[in-house]
Amino acid sequence: MKKYSILLLLLFSLFSCKKSEEEVWVDEVEPVKPIVDFGINFSDYNVDQDTVQYYDNFTRILKRQNLSNKKINQIIEKVKDSLDLKLIKRKKAFTFFRSKDRYNKVQFMVFQPDQLNYILVDLRDSIVVYKQARPLTFKIRTIAGKLSSSLSETLRNENIDISIKKKLIKVYAWSIDFFKSKKGDKFAISFTERYINDTIYDGIDSLRCAFFEYKGKKIYAFPFVQDSIKGKTDYYDDEGNALRNFFLKAPLKVINITSKYTLKRFHPVQQIWKPHYGTDYAAPTGTPIMTTATGVVEMAGYTAGNGNFVKVKHDKTYSTQYLHMSKILVKRGQSVKQGDIIGKVGSTGLASGPHVCYRFWKNGKEVDALKLKLPNSEPMDAKNKPRYFKYITPLKRELDSVAAVKFKEPFRFEPPKPRKEEPEPIVEEEQPKSKKASKSKKKKRR
């Protein structure tokens, strides 16, 4: 009996081992996902991918595909309205799809001038050309960090596309001087990124919201459209104040003030004492001059003293003038936007060197632009404030919570609060006194 029991145990262990071995070696093979791009399944064709070489042109690329001269001419004739041959530059991609039969004939041709757009040429029957774009998806990314030695370096350290720097500088141009920011100042940014075919990164699409610490205060930025018909987007802080000023600080990108507004200055050319009603910004001849605010060109011409000049009317209150230009680039009656180039620095008229004399009018009187408290951009309309604060509340919570996690701080969300405005005094109307009340008062006096 003992021998039989041992034999049974051996047989049982042998079969159980085989079963376990079978279980270990059986793997489920995942099906290979087919490559689909340009609306074409790559597995259905023989695919030949090519790039434009240094000495290439469209004809040479087609000849490499063993196409006849007649076919090449037909293709060129068909694509000339859809494909600018100047776009066919070095390293641009071509993809050819050939049939899998013994003829190996070209069925489709795809040219990619950039990552997103492509031109598809269908050669199966008659030649048909399609201008298409690959599908785009948008992904939201919200990050927090601390400023290092520069904004650019900080963004690189956080693995953020450096192109967002321009957006941030533009939004905060009137609120933050990033050159004066302190190392260690906190920030949080939320933005959308574009992906082609859900996988290929195609850059930053838009800035959703942000905050930066500056001089001990958090400055928030939220995009908001007040008028849906105009569709103009401005950025406002968490109290509904506009971040953008109505006027730029100066008409030049590089500021070099050589003479300020004064009622008494010795003129370098006329050699006499007289008022100087403007601010002089020195710059090399040909430097672009920008209009400091949106408006309409009121005057553009030449005088002996001002040289070539342009005057822009911004509204009923404000106008600006730009003198001594080497070249005028706008005409009278032309509409201009803030930052548009209206001329170039020169030394025409009574000028001792290349510069622009920037003059500023308020209510028809020349004033000192450097001392004037200039208005912000279009203020938040009272009727839009409830909609605005409802819109930014979840965005502010998102920024604050990400920052709290990053810096390991307790999360205490403070909802955005509208700026307190002075309430109108309430005047209570005096109620007419009843006869009974007046009689009772008389009795008390007695």
Side-chain angles (χ1 to χ4, degrees):
M1 286 293 293
K2 195 173 183 180
K3 287 181 181 179
Y4 285 118
S5 60
I6 293 169
L7 182 62
L8 286 169
L9 283 170
L10 287 170
L11 288 169
F12 178 77
S13 61
L14 181 65
F15 281 110
S16 63
C17 287
K18 282 184 178 179
K19 188 177 181 182
S20 62
E21 284 177 9
E22 285 175 3
E23 288 176 353
V24 170
W25 287 102
V26 172
D27 283 335
E28 290 185 5
V29 179
E30 291 185 7
V32 179
K33 291 182 179 179
I35 299 172
V36 179
D37 203 355
F38 318 118
I40 301 173
N41 191 332
F42 278 45
S43 60
D44 294 339
Y45 300 92
N46 294 323
V47 181
D48 182 11
Q49 293 180 317
D50 198 358
T51 54
V52 182
Q53 304 302 314
Y54 185 75
Y55 293 106
D56 263 346
N57 58 33
F58 192 44
T59 304
R60 286 177 183 168
I61 293 164
L62 296 178
K63 280 186 175 179
R64 282 206 293 270
Q65 298 301 317
N66 298 321
L67 294 168
S68 66
N69 290 333
K70 183 181 178 181
K71 194 71 171 177
I72 290 171
N73 291 331
Q74 289 174 346
I75 293 171
I76 292 172
E77 185 63 28
K78 281 286 185 181
V79 303
K80 67 180 182 180
D81 294 330
S82 304
L83 174 59
D84 184 357
L85 298 181
K86 292 178 182 177
L87 294 174
I88 301 174
K89 297 178 181 178
R90 191 180 178 190
K91 295 184 179 179
K92 297 295 181 182
F94 271 94
T95 307
F96 294 89
F97 297 87
R98 295 177 171 276
S99 61
K100 281 192 169 183
D101 56 19
R102 61 193 181 91
Y103 299 107
N104 196 28
K105 195 175 179 181
V106 177
Q107 304 292 296
F108 299 99
M109 178 185 75
V110 176
F111 171 64
Q112 295 170 255
D114 53 56
Q115 281 194 120
L116 177 62
N117 300 290
Y118 65 90
I119 294 167
L120 173 67
V121 183
D122 187 344
L123 303 170
R124 288 175 297 179
D125 296 316
S126 59
I127 300 170
V128 184
V129 182
Y130 303 95
K131 290 182 78 171
Q132 302 285 347
R134 296 157 106 182
L136 271 178
T137 52
F138 299 89
K139 299 179 183 180
I140 294 173
R141 187 177 171 199
T142 305
I143 63 100
K146 291 182 180 180
L147 285 174
S148 53
S149 58
S150 69
L151 180 60
S152 299
E153 185 180 336
T154 303
L155 295 173
R156 288 193 192 96
N157 292 342
E158 296 293 337
N159 197 27
I160 303 173
D161 190 336
I162 197 68
S163 66
I164 201 173
K165 178 184 173 182
K166 288 184 179 179
K167 294 180 186 289
L168 292 169
I169 289 175
K170 188 176 180 181
V171 168
Y172 285 106
W174 294 266
S175 308
I176 296 176
D177 184 351
F178 285 104
F179 290 103
K180 293 182 181 178
S181 297
K182 291 181 181 179
K183 186 178 179 180
D185 282 351
K186 299 172 185 176
F187 68 91
I189 312 170
S190 183
F191 50 94
T192 54
E193 296 177 310
R194 295 186 305 272
Y195 285 85
I196 298 169
N197 287 344
D198 207 36
T199 54
I200 304 168
Y201 179 73
D202 192 48
I204 290 172
D205 182 68
S206 61
L207 178 66
R208 295 177 69 233
C209 54
F211 81 69
F212 275 86
E213 278 187 351
Y214 186 65
K215 296 182 178 180
K217 183 184 176 183
K218 279 185 181 179
I219 301 178
Y220 289 85
F222 301 98
F224 186 67
V225 178
Q226 291 207 67
D227 190 335
S228 58
I229 296 172
K230 291 181 180 178
K232 183 185 176 185
T233 301
D234 274 316
Y235 281 82
Y236 301 86
D237 66 13
D238 57 330
E239 294 181 348
N241 302 314
L243 294 182
R244 179 188 178 97
N245 278 344
F246 187 52
F247 288 91
L248 295 174
K249 291 180 180 178
L252 304 178
K253 286 188 176 180
V254 178
I255 300 174
N256 180 20
I257 298 174
T258 53
S259 183
K260 295 183 179 181
Y261 179 100
T262 178
L263 297 178
K264 193 176 182 182
R265 183 191 74 154
F266 189 75
H267 198 283
V269 177
Q270 294 177 312
Q271 298 291 301
I272 57 171
W273 290 93
K274 61 184 292 188
H276 183 241
Y277 295 118
T279 306
D280 288 347
Y281 295 91
T285 300
T287 301
I289 299 170
M290 303 177 292
T291 178
T292 54
T294 298
V296 177
V297 177
E298 188 177 20
M299 299 172 69
Y302 178 90
T303 64
N306 296 338
N308 293 321
F309 74 95
V310 171
K311 189 174 182 181
V312 180
K313 186 175 180 64
H314 304 292
D315 57 19
K316 293 179 180 179
T317 306
Y318 299 102
S319 297
T320 54
Q321 191 176 15
Y322 313 80
L323 312 182
H324 311 302
M325 294 179 171
S326 61
K327 192 174 183 180
I328 297 172
L329 300 176
V330 289
K331 295 179 181 179
R332 185 178 177 182
Q334 181 177 333
S335 296
V336 290
K337 292 181 181 178
Q338 185 183 65
D340 282 355
I341 306 302
I342 58 173
K344 295 188 177 181
V345 169
S347 52
T348 56
L350 294 176
S352 57
H355 73 286
V356 57
C357 179
Y358 176 56
R359 295 192 175 187
F360 204 100
W361 273 264
K362 182 180 180 182
N363 295 322
K365 184 181 177 181
E366 287 180 283
V367 293
D368 186 354
L370 297 178
K371 293 182 179 179
L372 192 66
K373 188 177 180 181
L374 298 172
N376 284 344
S377 61
E378 187 178 353
M380 178 75 68
D381 195 319
K383 68 179 181 182
N384 290 325
K385 286 185 177 180
R387 180 166 61 93
Y388 174 74
F389 289 114
K390 183 180 180 181
Y391 158 69
I392 72 168
T393 296
L395 295 175
K396 186 176 185 293
R397 184 186 286 112
E398 186 179 340
L399 292 174
D400 292 346
S401 61
V402 167
V405 171
K406 176 75 174 182
F407 308 125
K408 298 179 181 178
E409 297 172 348
F411 176 52
R412 295 173 183 173
F413 175 66
E414 294 182 7
K417 297 176 182 178
R419 181 175 49 183
K420 289 183 180 179
E421 297 177 358
E422 291 293 326
E424 294 183 5
I426 300 171
V427 180
E428 293 184 2
E429 294 182 2
E430 291 187 6
Q431 299 294 328
K433 297 175 182 178
S434 63
K435 291 182 179 180
K436 289 181 179 179
S438 61
K439 284 181 180 179
S440 62
K441 283 185 179 180
K442 286 180 181 179
K443 287 180 181 178
K444 284 180 181 178
R445 284 176 187 172
R446 288 175 185 172

